[in-house]
Amino acid sequence: MRLLMKIIGFLLVCASFPSFGTQDDLRLDALFSELHNASSGSEAREIEKNIWEIWFEGPNEQVDQYFESAQIAASGGDYRSATTALDKLIDAHPEFAEGWNQRAIVYFVQGKYSAALADVDKTLSLEPRHFGAASGKAQCYLALGEPLAAIDAFEQALSINPWLEDVKEQLNQLKAIHLNPRNAI
């Protein structure tokens, strides 16, 4: 009886932890708190790296294989194969936010901005703290000639991760051009 209680207790503890690193990973809450409280850019970059590592952890080997196939194909410019691998990944695990984000990147590189935006929105619905997706959303809006929407998306990214220096720079440039009353006609 005592052994049975120990086994049940162990299973309950294991069930409370995710079996893979996703947007539901309990480590992320602490990392995002650390990110907001970071005292330097170098400290923030290390925390960002840890967040990305968790986001990239697949739920099983099959997902990891799809991910690897997509990355190899995309790095070789074979976007069709990259998209196919990511489609399979998303079909198998639609709750895996990074699959959607990576497909958004592949779409963006091909100039398929509307498709990229749809996948970015799905990424953000699964992981609202995905500063990479929010920044990618801004890039899509810039490519579509929608600077005010890009400003909103950059601000969203910075509200999640205030240490994104390139995003701050782009945001300041956009605001200077598009929100400066002297530029209004």
Side-chain angles (χ1 to χ4, degrees):
M1 182 68 161
R2 230 169 56 185
L3 178 60
L4 179 61
M5 294 305 289
K6 284 183 181 181
I7 291 171
I8 291 171
F10 175 75
L11 292 174
L12 288 172
V13 168
C14 289
S16 69
F17 292 99
S19 58
F20 55 92
T22 68
Q23 60 276 4
D24 299 324
D25 192 300
L26 298 175
R27 298 172 290 176
L28 288 171
D29 289 338
L31 287 169
F32 276 101
S33 178
E34 290 174 26
L35 185 61
H36 280 275
N37 295 318
S39 59
S40 69
S42 61
E43 180 184 353
R45 283 187 294 282
E46 187 63 30
I47 297 165
E48 286 174 17
K49 184 181 100 155
N50 293 332
I51 290 169
W52 280 105
E53 286 174 1
I54 293 169
W55 282 341
F56 270 84
E57 292 175 15
N60 59 42
E61 282 187 40
Q62 181 187 41
V63 168
D64 292 340
Q65 289 171 353
Y66 289 143
F67 225 47
E68 185 177 345
S69 295
Q71 289 175 330
I72 291 169
S75 68
D78 184 359
Y79 302 119
R80 177 184 284 173
S81 294
T83 302
T84 299
L86 291 167
D87 289 345
K88 290 177 182 178
L89 185 157
I90 289 166
D91 287 344
H93 290 280
E95 76 287 350
F96 186 53
E98 195 54 37
W100 294 93
N101 187 55
Q102 291 301 309
R103 192 172 70 178
I105 293 168
V106 171
Y107 284 151
F108 180 85
V109 171
Q110 296 176 84
K112 297 178 180 179
Y113 306 121
S114 294
L117 277 172
D119 279 3
V120 163
D121 286 340
K122 183 62 178 180
T123 302
L124 290 167
S125 74
L126 292 167
E127 173 51 285
R129 302 171 295 190
H130 204 301
F131 50 84
S135 179
K137 186 176 192 172
Q139 296 300 335
C140 288
Y141 283 129
L142 285 176
L144 290 168
E146 297 182 36
L148 298 179
I151 288 170
D152 289 343
F154 279 139
E155 287 176 339
Q156 178 185 9
L158 288 170
S159 73
I160 301 165
N161 181 354
W163 294 95
L164 300 170
E165 295 304 321
D166 290 344
V167 170
K168 284 181 190 175
E169 187 176 319
Q170 283 187 288
L171 177 61
N172 289 336
Q173 290 172 357
L174 282 172
K175 284 183 170 182
I177 295 168
H178 297 284
L179 299 181
N180 186 338
R182 287 181 282 162
N183 292 332
I185 298 177

